[in-house]
Amino acid sequence: MSTSMPAARPLFDYPKYWAECFGPAPFLPMSREEMDLLGWDSCDVIIVTGDAYVDHPSFGMAIIGRLLEAQGFRVGIISQPDWHSKDDFMKLGKPNLFYGVAAGNMDSMINRYTADRKIRSDDAYTPGGVAGKRPDRASAVYSQRCREAYKDVPIVLGGIEASLRRIAHYDYWQDKVRHSLLLDAKADILLFGNAERAIVEVAQRISRGETVQSITDVRGTAFVRKDTPEGWFELDSTRIDRPGKVDKIINPYVNTQDTSACAVEQAKGDDKAAAAATVDEVQVLQLLPHPRLERDRTVIRLPSFEKVRNDPVLYAHANRVLHLETNPGNARALVQRHAEKDVWFNPPPIPLTTEEMDYIFGLPYARIPHPAYGGEKIPAYEMIRFSVNIMRGCFGGCTFCSITEHEGRIIQNRSHDSIIREIEEIRDKVPGFTGVISDLGGPTANMYRIACKSPEIEAACRKPSCVFPGICENLNTDHSSLIGLYRKARELPGVKKILIASGLRYDLAVESPEYVKELVTHHVGGYLKIAPEHTEEGPLTRMMKPGIGSYDRFKQMFEKYSKEAGKEQYLIPYFIAAHPGTTDEDMMNLALWLKRNGFRADQVQAFYPSPMATATAMYHSGKNPLRKVTYKSDGVNVVKGERQRRLHKAFLRYHDPKNWPLLRDALQEMGRSDLIGNSKQHLIPTHQPAGESYHSSRRKNSTPAGSRKAGRILTQHTGLPPRDTGAGKKPRKGSRPAR
C-alpha cells in the first residue's frame, strides 16, 4: 500500500469548454442585461449565494465563479435572491449544466443567530449590513426554489454550510440531530471542503454528457446510493472504534456467519460443559480480508441517522470516526444510512499545490463589489479589501473550530511572487488604498509553509492536531519563509505598513524568536489579538489548546522585543465562556487571572455549537470524542442552562456592575465568599453602587469614573488603554498614547 499522498489532476490541466472564446467578464453577470452585453444567450452554470457578490478571492462565489470561467464556462450569479418564490431563481434563465448553491461564507444559522439564539441585528455580508436578506438554512431553501424553477437542472451544493452539515449533525438551534443536508435540500451532489478540484471535475464531466447521478468517484463529494457497490469492502465503524459494552472476544478463525460456531464461542465461560460438547463442530471456513490491504476500496459504515438521532453516545462515536478519517492521505470513504437511502462520503479532496493556489488567486478578480450595489458598503468587504490570504488550512485542531473540517489540516501555500503581485494589485487598483495592508494571513497567521518533515508520515498520520498536547516532533516549525515574505512585502514602493491581523498560534511562534521579533518590530499596529481561550487545564484539554504557560512565554518575548523597538504595544487575549469541560470554578479562576493581569473583557465570546465540530459533539452527548467513546466512559461537564451560561459570561465580565448580583450569589454557593469585598484582593465588591452603571468601551472607549487606575486598564475591544476624554487636557509625560 502506498504511503504517499494520492496524485490529483492539476486544475489547469483540463481542456477548455467551448465558451472560452467569450473571455473573462468584468464581473460575472447578475442580470439578463449584463448577459446581453457579454454576448451570452444563456449561462452554463448559475451560482446561487446568500452573500452579496464581491468579486474578490475572499468570497466563495467569486473563486468558484472565476475558476469555472477560466475553464471556459459562462457563469452567472444570483446573489441574495428573494426566496419566497421561484421568480428570482429564473432571472438569468435556465442554466445549461447545473445550479451551484451555497449559503455564503458562513453557515446561515450562525450568520443570523447569536450564541444565545437571538437574532442578530446585522449581516456583514449584505450591503449596508442589513439583516434578514437570507433565509434560515439557506442551502436547503435555495435548492428547493431552484428545483421549482427548473426541475430537470442538476443542483450541486457547496460552501461551508454544506461541509459542516454533510452528515447527520446536531443542530443547536432546534436542539436535535438533523439529516444530512444533501437529503434535506434534495440536491443531486454535495461538495465538501475546498471544492475547486471537485467543482471543475463535476462541471467538465456534466459538460461531456455524463449524468450527475453517475459521478460517484470524485473526492470531496457526497451523494446518495442504494447499496454498497460490488468490489467494495464494508467495515462497520464499531469494529475500529467500538462504543458501549465490549462483547466477549470470539475466536478470530471462526466464520461469524456460522451461527452454531458463534454460539460456541459466546458460551465460553458461561457453560463450559455445553461448549465442550459442541466444540468439535467448529470449522474454519474463511478469513475476513484485512481492511488496510484494500483501503482505497473500503467504506466505513457509520451508525444510521436513526441511531445517532436517538443515542447521543453513538452520535459522539460517529463524530469521532469521521474526524479520524479526514487526512486525504489515508482517509476511507464513509456511508451513513438515512431510512432507505445511503448517503456516501468520498475521502476529502487532495490539497492544492502552490502552483494551483497561485492559479486560483491570480484569476482576473475585479476586487470590488458588483456595481449593482451602487457603492453601498458591505462590512465584510470593508474588513478584507486591503488584506491578502497567503495560505489555507489549519493543523491546530481546536475542537470548537470548523476550519479543519472545511479546509483540512494540511497547509496549502501560495508563492511569494503570487502574494507580492496581489499586494501590488491592491496598491494600484483598489480604491481608497492608503499604503497599509491590513493583513497577510489566513486561518492562522503563522502556519505559512509549516508542514510535516516527512510526506510519508504526513500521509499516514491520524492525529487530530499537530500541536496538541505539544508540538509534534515531526512538525517543521521553521518560520524563515514567512519572515522573508514580510520583508519583501514591506519593501514594496507605495506600501507604508504591513499589519498581521489573523489569529496567531503563539505556541508555534515561540519556537522562532526571530519571527516574534520581526512581527513585534514591524507588523503590530499597537496591539495584537491572540486567543489562549482559557487558563484552566480542564477546558483547555477539551479545546485541544496549549496551557497558559505558552501564553506567558510569548508575552515575555512580545514585551522584550516591543521594548527593544521602542514601541508601547499590547497583547489582547481572547477567551471562551461556557465551553464543554468548563466548570464554574474554572471560570472563577479565569476571572481572577484577568483581574490580576488588568484585563477587562468588553466583547465576551460564549461557546457556539457549530455543526459537526468535536466540541459540539461533546455539548450534545456529554462524552469526549477525543478518546474512545463508551457508555461507561467519563462524561464531559456541559454548560447548557441559561443561568449557568450567563454566569460563565459574567465571570469574564467581573468588572461590570450588572453582573455583580449574579456573581455574589454564585460565589456564596461555591463557598468562595472570601472573593466578595472592597479591597484589591477581592473579585467583586460587597454592595451594589447606587446609580452606577458600566459603559462598554466598545461604545465609549473610556474607563468608568472612579475605576481603579483609570486610563491604565486594557480593554479587549480596542486592545489599548481607554482614551482620556477630558476636553483640553494635555497628556501627561510618559502616558499611553490615544489611538
Side-chain angles (χ1 to χ4, degrees), residues 724-737:
D724 184 354
T725 57
K729 289 184 180 180
K730 294 182 179 180
R732 293 172 298 171
K733 185 177 181 180
S735 65
R736 301 177 190 233

Side-chain angles (χ1 to χ4, degrees), residues 681-700:
Q681 287 72 35
H682 294 105
L683 183 63
I684 58 172
T686 305
H687 302 292
Q688 197 75 15
E692 182 176 324
S693 60
Y694 174 79
H695 298 285
S696 167
S697 65
R698 180 180 183 181
R699 177 164 48 89
K700 193 174 179 181

Side-chain angles (χ1 to χ4, degrees), residues 411-584:
I411 306 303
Q412 301 156 76
N413 311 279
R414 297 172 63 186
S415 69
H416 283 195
D417 288 346
S418 171
I419 295 165
I420 295 300
R421 279 197 301 272
E422 184 170 353
I423 296 173
E424 291 173 334
E425 277 205 357
I426 293 173
R427 178 195 64 192
D428 299 338
K429 297 180 181 179
V430 178
F433 181 64
T434 61
V436 179
I437 296 295
S438 59
D439 189 24
L440 287 184
T444 304
N446 60 320
M447 287 187 182
Y448 181 76
R449 298 251 172 239
I450 292 182
C452 190
K453 296 174 183 177
S454 164
E456 289 74 23
I457 293 175
E458 180 180 72
C461 183
R462 294 166 65 81
K463 290 178 62 178
S465 171
C466 300
V467 289
F468 183 84
I471 296 175
C472 178
E473 61 182 7
N474 296 309
L475 187 68
N476 179 5
T477 60
D478 181 11
H479 285 64
S480 60
S481 183
L482 186 56
I483 294 170
L485 175 62
Y486 288 176
R487 291 172 179 170
K488 288 180 183 178
R490 65 173 184 263
E491 290 172 359
L492 287 174
V495 175
K496 301 175 183 177
K497 185 80 172 177
I498 301 285
L499 297 175
I500 305 303
S502 296
L504 185 78
R505 192 77 195 201
Y506 53 85
D507 51 342
L508 274 179
V510 296
E511 298 295 313
S512 176
E514 184 186 6
Y515 171 75
V516 178
K517 183 175 183 178
E518 191 80 16
L519 175 75
V520 171
T521 304
H522 300 286
H523 302 286
V524 175
Y527 64 93
L528 181 68
K529 298 176 183 178
I530 58 174
E533 308 297 5
H534 218 285
T535 59
E536 305 305 297
E537 182 179 355
L540 287 173
T541 301
R542 270 58 174 207
M543 297 175 185
M544 290 209 300
K545 292 286 286 187
I548 198 67
S550 294
Y551 166 81
D552 293 333
R553 287 177 60 201
F554 180 77
K555 181 173 182 289
Q556 291 173 1
M557 297 174 72
F558 181 88
E559 291 174 346
K560 172 188 174 184
Y561 293 128
S562 292
K563 185 177 180 180
E564 289 180 4
K567 295 184 176 182
E568 197 160 20
Q569 301 180 143
Y570 308 94
L571 268 186
I572 305 303
Y574 273 63
F575 298 94
I576 292 180
H579 190 279
T582 308
T583 64
D584 296 349

Side-chain angles (χ1 to χ4, degrees), residues 213-278:
Q213 291 78 15
S214 68
I215 302 174
T216 59
D217 58 346
V218 177
R219 296 180 68 111
T221 62
F223 47 89
V224 174
R225 263 184 170 154
K226 291 184 178 179
D227 299 295
T228 300
E230 187 177 349
W232 282 78
F233 179 80
E234 186 174 300
L235 181 64
D236 192 313
S237 66
T238 59
R239 289 182 58 184
I240 59 173
D241 200 72
R242 181 181 295 277
K245 180 181 176 182
V246 177
D247 295 331
K248 294 176 182 178
I249 298 175
I250 297 176
N251 186 333
Y253 297 102
V254 172
N255 176 11
T256 55
Q257 294 179 349
D258 184 336
T259 56
S260 62
C262 278
V264 172
E265 292 298 322
Q266 291 169 343
K268 285 181 179 178
D270 296 330
D271 190 346
K272 293 182 180 180
T278 56

Side-chain angles (χ1 to χ4, degrees), residues 110-165:
I110 295 176
N111 176 275
R112 191 167 183 223
Y113 295 91
T114 69
D116 296 323
R117 298 189 178 96
K118 295 179 181 177
I119 295 178
R120 299 187 193 272
S121 59
D122 57 3
D123 182 344
Y125 292 90
T126 300
V130 178
K133 291 294 185 179
R134 79 187 80 212
D136 291 354
R137 313 185 199 288
S139 296
V141 176
Y142 291 161
S143 296
Q144 291 162 10
R145 290 291 179 260
C146 289
R147 190 70 76 198
E148 290 176 18
Y150 302 105
K151 64 180 181 180
D152 57 334
V153 173
I155 296 173
V156 178
L157 280 184
I160 194 164
E161 184 165 277
S163 281
L164 301 188
R165 296 176 180 271

Side-chain angles (χ1 to χ4, degrees), residues 384-430:
I384 57 86
R385 66 175 174 156
F386 303 129
S387 69
V388 179
N389 194 328
I390 65 174
M391 43 78 73
R392 283 183 185 170
C394 179
F395 50 71
C398 300
T399 61
F400 53 81
C401 181
S402 301
I403 291 173
T404 301
E405 284 88 340
H406 184 58
E407 295 193 4
R409 63 183 179 87
I410 296 175
I411 306 303
Q412 301 156 76
N413 311 279
R414 297 172 63 186
S415 69
H416 283 195
D417 288 346
S418 171
I419 295 165
I420 295 300
R421 279 197 301 272
E422 184 170 353
I423 296 173
E424 291 173 334
E425 277 205 357
I426 293 173
R427 178 195 64 192
D428 299 338
K429 297 180 181 179
V430 178

